[in-house]
Amino acid sequence: MPHAALRLESLAEQLLGAPLPVRIRAWDGSEAGPPGAPILVVRSRRALRRLMWKPGELGLARAWVAGDLDVEGDLYAALERLAGFIWERDEDAKSLRESLRDPGFRAAARSLIGLAAPFLPPAPPPEEMRGRGRLHLHTKRSDRQAISHHYDVGNDFYELVLGPSMVYSCAYWESPDGTLEDAQRDKLELISRKLALKPGMRLLDVGCGWGSMAIHAAREHGVTVVGVTLSQEQAAYARKRIAEEGLTDRVEIRVQDYRDVRDGPYDAISSIGMAEHVGAERYLEYAQDLYALLKPGGRLLNHQIARRPQDDESTYEVDDFIDAYVFPGGELAPVGSTVAQLERAGFEVRDVEAIREHYALTLRRWVANLEARWKEGQRLTSPGRARIWRLYMAASALSFERNRIGVNQVLAVKTPEAGTSGMPLRARAWQ
């Protein structure tokens, strides 16, 4: 149909009650919208059908992953302009439901249905995680499934995105002009110093990823490390790296749930970007398990993404796109809730360092790595999954920049009854 873009622009403005902030290019080649703005490319009517059958975020996500929707131009600029669709979806969805009482709104909706015809529901992209509800129970089996969905997508793909450091968490930047590898090394060293690692100590690295923290701690600080992960691919990669470093006598990598670790006590525990997978209902159990695995005076470094608190915490809902395509079963909590749960488990929380801006810088580097080798990235995993990673990392970078989410390093001590924490008198002596 000719001039589809004009119809889409008009319908979008009718349905949303605001001017469309981006330009549209439709499947018939027509364009409409503000000149010079980023272009939202609607490659086929199927994108509209996905939105009609799943209004809101999940429909948009399915259209993006399948390639029915795309952005031409600066992705960050497009996401900034579409912030209402990305960060205020819940409110939008409620107003849409309420708007169905309005005759003009219903007429625009019928017109959109006609433009989307034939009106059959497209199948979800194969990258979508099915049966997600059970994953939020956070049983050992469901956690293995969720971790496998996210991490077992090809070590070569992660090498392309993360770079040589193979660290999949927020780096620690001296300067925005520094290298990703230096910033990740500095993060691992910062954690090592906060934990006061010394030769002869035992470190448990919970959610050890591809072994970077374990290798750094053993090589630079002479400790013995046990790293646990639920990902078979991560474990195989980490063991290979450890052998190449000549550290097999000091580092052991296990495919094991942290709840099954029984060989404590450890002198220190690092948990870097893992606690987001634990879930609110299991978080106290997580904290208690780690507390039990530490010797008296031992330290925990918990590095975790946090969200802003809500007036009514009972209304918190997991992001549909992240839950379906990125971190199934993942949940974010306010940093205050995390500190409270660690204290309930018996820890003395001694330091909280917010490094929100550092994660925005890290994510932008990961996006740049993927975009620089885009075709290779698609080949190493799948076109849909490469699109998922590009969108979620870019949108997350903006969320950190806007203070919608943050990341914190919480240093806690299993302080003995006598009260001797072993902490320096002056805070942050590690710096």
Side-chain angles (χ1 to χ4, degrees):
M1 177 178 293
H3 309 302
L6 283 171
R7 291 192 63 190
L8 287 173
E9 180 190 31
S10 175
L11 288 170
E13 293 181 355
Q14 281 183 267
L15 292 169
L16 299 172
L20 197 64
V22 296
R23 194 164 177 80
I24 289 181
R25 180 183 300 143
W27 56 88
D28 63 351
S30 61
E31 292 190 15
I39 299 174
L40 182 65
V41 183
V42 185
R43 297 196 185 282
S44 77
R45 300 170 188 268
R46 189 167 52 246
L48 306 183
R49 293 198 287 274
R50 292 188 186 281
L51 286 168
M52 297 305 296
W53 282 96
K54 283 291 180 181
E57 182 179 349
L58 188 56
L60 284 168
R62 287 175 172 176
W64 174 269
V65 175
D68 301 327
L69 280 181
D70 203 350
V71 167
E72 186 175 297
D74 188 327
L75 179 59
Y76 294 104
L79 291 176
E80 285 276 17
R81 291 181 177 232
L82 292 167
F85 299 108
I86 303 300
W87 289 297
E88 298 167 7
R89 290 177 299 271
D90 293 341
E91 289 84 351
D92 287 345
K94 291 173 185 174
S95 64
L96 280 171
R97 288 193 292 269
E98 293 167 0
S99 295
L100 288 174
R101 302 188 188 97
D102 179 75
F105 183 93
R106 291 199 302 270
R110 285 194 297 270
S111 182
L112 186 61
I113 291 171
L115 191 58
F119 197 59
L120 297 173
E127 291 84 2
E128 185 171 314
M129 185 72 175
R130 312 298 170 82
R132 300 189 305 279
R134 67 177 183 276
L135 299 184
H136 291 277
L137 299 174
H138 291 284
T139 64
K140 293 177 183 179
R141 179 181 179 182
S142 67
D143 281 354
R144 281 195 305 272
Q145 292 174 324
I147 294 299
S148 178
H149 175 86
H150 185 79
Y151 293 103
D152 293 339
V153 301
N155 290 328
D156 290 344
F157 176 74
Y158 275 107
E159 279 185 336
L160 183 151
V161 174
L162 304 179
S165 64
M166 287 300 283
V167 180
Y168 194 26
S169 54
C170 175
Y172 196 69
W173 299 84
E174 180 75 22
S175 161
D177 300 324
T179 69
L180 177 61
E181 288 66 41
D182 285 347
Q184 290 292 15
R185 181 203 61 224
D186 289 349
K187 188 266 299 294
L188 299 178
E189 180 60 18
L190 176 66
I191 291 172
S192 298
R193 291 181 180 181
K194 287 182 176 182
L195 291 172
L197 297 182
K198 297 178 179 63
M201 293 175 66
R202 293 183 76 214
L203 169 69
L204 174 64
D205 188 26
V206 180
C208 64
W210 292 272
S212 298
M213 178 64 198
I215 290 169
H216 182 90
R219 184 183 60 213
E220 304 298 330
H221 297 274
V223 302
T224 300
V225 187
V226 171
V228 296
T229 176
L230 296 178
S231 167
Q232 295 283 351
E233 290 193 19
Q234 282 186 334
Y237 188 98
R239 289 166 183 156
K240 183 174 182 293
R241 292 178 71 194
I242 289 160
E244 291 170 349
E245 291 274 354
L247 294 171
T248 53
D249 60 330
R250 279 190 276 162
V251 182
E252 177 189 0
I253 301 296
R254 304 173 185 168
V255 178
Q256 186 178 35
D257 194 291
Y258 72 92
R259 289 165 283 194
D260 293 329
V261 177
R262 295 288 183 267
D263 59 346
Y266 288 86
D267 297 283
I269 297 176
S270 53
S271 178
I272 309 169
M274 176 271 176
E276 298 88 341
H277 297 287
V278 170
E281 294 298 320
R282 299 279 184 176
Y283 203 91
L284 181 58
E285 176 189 352
Y286 158 82
Q288 290 170 334
D289 284 348
L290 299 191
Y291 185 85
L293 286 166
L294 275 173
K295 73 172 190 180
R299 299 183 187 182
L300 164 69
L301 192 286
N302 191 79
H303 177 117
Q304 182 177 342
I305 298 172
R307 61 175 171 83
R308 302 291 297 170
Q310 299 183 173
D311 292 336
D312 181 1
E313 282 293 319
S314 67
T315 64
Y316 168 66
E317 294 182 0
V318 177
D319 182 287
D320 281 340
F321 170 61
I322 297 295
D323 195 41
Y325 290 102
V326 185
F327 292 106
E331 297 178 45
L332 301 183
V335 64
S337 300
T338 296
V339 168
Q341 294 288 59
L342 291 172
E343 290 181 329
R344 286 182 64 196
F347 282 105
E348 180 187 8
V349 173
R350 295 300 302 249
D351 186 78
V352 179
E353 184 175 4
I355 53 175
R356 172 176 61 82
E357 293 88 349
H358 294 256
Y359 218 156
L361 291 169
T362 305
L363 284 155
R364 282 183 176 266
R365 294 299 180 91
W366 290 344
V367 172
N369 286 345
L370 179 56
E371 290 180 340
R373 299 166 63 185
W374 179 245
K375 290 184 179 179
E376 185 181 358
Q378 291 178 299
R379 177 179 58 80
L380 289 173
T381 178
S382 72
R385 196 167 298 280
R387 293 172 62 80
I388 292 166
W389 256 241
R390 181 174 177 239
L391 177 61
Y392 111 76
M393 291 190 301
S396 296
L398 293 175
S399 290
F400 282 106
E401 289 168 357
R402 287 166 163 255
N403 191 28
R404 294 186 178 274
I405 53 177
V407 61
N408 306 279
Q409 289 189 353
V410 180
L411 180 63
V413 181
K414 184 175 181 177
T415 303
E417 289 186 9
T420 307
S421 69
M423 292 290 295
L425 286 176
R426 294 198 173 194
R428 297 186 174 173
W430 46 82
Q431 294 182 342

